[in-house]
């Protein structure tokens, strides 16, 4: 049995022990990180630089891009360093920081997605009062609530995780994840993990996901009352990306949370972990720009070379 004072580092078995494979991991992580970094930074810049995009929907999208940047920056840089140095260690303080940060950004992400569902609900179901209801003050309040709720959520679970006694310091992952740390507990880890899952489902997943579902039931009822036209297409074009992002977040987080415990790393668990921790940050900006003509037009304007006027 080990406690916090006995552990100076954790061993991450998510990395192979062959130098050649680790270099492939390093290249893969580097490509994923640079792609996600560029995509999310571009969204933030294009929204800030183009006044027509200064609307509640894009305000939340900027916040979502910030959480995506934070989330992927918590895990990938350290994974790149370990892969490059052919190392499997992460310090105890580094592990604590990863758990704190990853939970914070993941929960902020989900709370922001819930706020975006409310924004879409007001925009489509009550368009005449949209500007009054979704003013700058309301948007700021929803964003602040999302960030503060994430802080309260992570404080509870991170403190609960690092006060337990550990039977081992070996993690079957490439970063410090709460579900993996709980499996190292010498105090009836099964009950702790079940309690963590139930609390997460009851306090976060069910209420937020339920609110999103109810919002979209009303949204689709309103949309289908509109005659097929450009207006209906525009409503779907703003809702479908949000639904895709919500579904991706909920599915990957649920699979990671509910996967059965194991004591040796497997390719399946590695894929699930990557889907949960990396893919949303990479896919979110792609989904939101793929069918969004306003962002595409703003991006084209930002990169369009200046053409000097012709001499008369």
């Amino acid at each position: 049995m080990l406690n916090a004072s006995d552990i100076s580092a954790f061993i991450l078995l998510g990395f192979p022990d062959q130098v050649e494979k680790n270099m492939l991991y390093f290249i893969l992580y580097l490509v994923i990180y640079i792609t996600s970094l560029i995509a999310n930074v571009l969204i933030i810049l294009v929204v800030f630089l183009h006044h027509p995009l200064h609307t509640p929907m894009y305000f939340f999208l900027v916040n979502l891009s910030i959480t995506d940047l934070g989330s992927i920056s918590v895990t990938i840089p350290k994974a790149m360093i370990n892969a490059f140095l052919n190392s499997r260690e992460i310090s105890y303080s580094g592990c604590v920081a990863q758990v704190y940060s990853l939970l914070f950004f993941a929960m902020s992400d989900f709370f922001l997605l819930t706020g975006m569902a409310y924004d879409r609900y007001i925009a489509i179901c009550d368009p005449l009062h949209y500007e009054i209801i979704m003013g700058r003050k309301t948007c700021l309040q929803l964003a602040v609530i999302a960030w503060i709720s994430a802080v309260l959520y992570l404080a509870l679970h991170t403190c609960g995780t690092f006060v337990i006694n550990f039977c081992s310091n070996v993690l079957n992952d490439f970063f410090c994840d709460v579900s993996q740390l709980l499996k190292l507990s010498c105090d009836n880890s099964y009950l702790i993990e079940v309690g963590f899952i139930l609390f997460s489902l009851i306090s976060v997943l069910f209420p937020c996901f339920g609110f999103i579902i109810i919002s979209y039931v009303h949204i689709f009822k309103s949309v289908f009352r509109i005659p097929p036209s450009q207006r209906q297409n525009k409503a779907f074009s703003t809702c479908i990306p949000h639904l895709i992002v919500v579904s991706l977040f909920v599915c990957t987080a649920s699979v990671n949370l509910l996967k059965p415990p194991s004591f040796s790393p497997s390719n399946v668990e590695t894929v699930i972990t990557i889907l949960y921790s990396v893919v949303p940050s990479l896919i979110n900006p792609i989904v939101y720009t793929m069918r969004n003509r306003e962002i595409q037009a703003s991006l084209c304007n930002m990169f369009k070379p200046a053409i000097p006027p012709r001499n008369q």
Side-chain angles (χ1 to χ4, degrees):
M1 181 180 296
L2 305 170
N3 55 36
S5 61
D6 299 321
I7 297 178
S8 60
F10 288 94
I11 307 300
L12 304 173
L13 296 186
F15 295 95
D17 53 3
Q18 295 94 349
V19 177
E20 295 80 7
K21 287 186 177 181
N22 271 330
M23 289 309 299
L24 291 176
Y25 272 92
F26 172 78
I27 295 172
L28 175 63
Y29 291 143
L30 181 63
V31 171
I32 291 174
Y33 186 65
I34 291 177
T35 304
S36 177
L37 189 68
I38 293 174
N40 283 289
V41 168
L42 278 178
I43 286 182
I44 295 172
L45 287 177
V46 76
V47 172
F48 273 115
L49 295 177
H50 291 80
H51 186 74
L53 299 182
H54 292 180
T55 63
M57 183 178 74
Y58 295 109
F59 168 79
F60 288 115
L61 184 56
V62 166
N63 278 267
L64 193 67
S65 293
I66 293 173
T67 62
D68 288 338
L69 282 174
S71 179
I72 200 169
S73 297
V74 168
T75 56
I76 295 300
K78 177 59 179 176
M80 289 168 54
I81 293 172
N82 279 1
F84 186 77
L85 298 178
N86 196 32
S87 172
R88 292 184 169 190
E89 287 193 1
I90 181 171
S91 66
Y92 180 86
S93 58
C95 188
V96 174
Q98 274 197 346
V99 171
Y100 263 101
S101 303
L102 191 60
L103 275 176
F104 172 70
F105 288 117
M107 288 301 102
S108 298
D109 209 339
F110 194 47
F111 292 136
L112 286 169
L113 289 172
T114 306
M116 294 174 76
Y118 178 70
D119 171 69
R120 293 298 84 204
Y121 166 76
I122 299 298
I124 296 174
C125 298
D126 194 7
L128 296 178
H129 299 93
Y130 177 71
E131 293 185 2
I132 298 175
I133 297 175
M134 295 301 298
R136 180 176 297 180
K137 183 178 179 181
T138 302
C139 293
L140 288 174
Q141 287 175 343
L142 289 174
V144 169
I145 289 172
W147 294 102
I148 292 178
S149 298
V151 170
L152 296 176
Y153 179 85
L154 74 91
L156 174 64
H157 288 298
T158 308
C159 293
T161 301
F162 287 97
V163 296
I164 64 176
N165 293 311
F166 296 107
C167 290
S168 172
N169 67 334
V170 179
L171 295 169
N172 296 328
D173 221 325
F174 70 91
F175 68 96
C176 286
D177 185 47
V178 171
S179 60
Q180 291 290 337
L181 286 167
L182 291 176
K183 293 169 187 177
L184 304 182
S185 171
C186 292
D187 314 310
N188 207 331
S189 61
Y190 175 77
L191 293 178
I192 294 175
E193 190 161 4
V194 168
F196 171 73
I197 293 173
L198 289 177
F199 182 84
S200 300
L201 292 175
I202 295 171
S203 65
V204 178
L205 188 60
F206 287 162
C208 292
F209 192 54
F211 178 83
I212 293 173
I213 291 176
I214 293 172
S215 297
Y216 272 99
V217 168
H218 291 287
I219 287 172
F220 285 125
K221 284 183 179 179
S222 298
V223 169
F224 285 125
R225 293 194 192 104
I226 306 173
S229 62
Q230 187 65 26
R231 185 180 177 188
Q232 189 182 67
N233 292 335
K234 185 176 181 180
F236 277 119
S237 68
T238 60
C239 292
I240 297 302
H242 180 254
L243 279 177
I244 294 174
V245 171
V246 171
S247 301
L248 179 65
F249 182 93
V250 172
C251 291
T252 55
S254 299
V255 170
N256 182 72
L257 198 61
L258 298 174
K259 66 184 179 182
S262 63
F263 298 96
S264 60
S266 65
N267 293 330
V268 174
E269 283 196 333
T270 301
V271 171
I272 290 174
T273 302
I274 292 176
L275 286 174
Y276 160 67
S277 61
V278 175
V279 170
S281 301
L282 182 63
I283 296 298
N284 288 357
I286 297 175
V287 170
Y288 272 105
T289 56
M290 191 165 51
R291 295 188 59 184
N292 193 307
R293 294 181 181 178
E294 292 177 330
I295 289 185
Q296 289 176 359
S298 298
L299 284 171
C300 290
N301 291 332
M302 185 168 24
F303 289 105
K304 185 166 61 176
I307 302 176
R310 294 181 179 179
N311 294 324
Q312 298 295 331

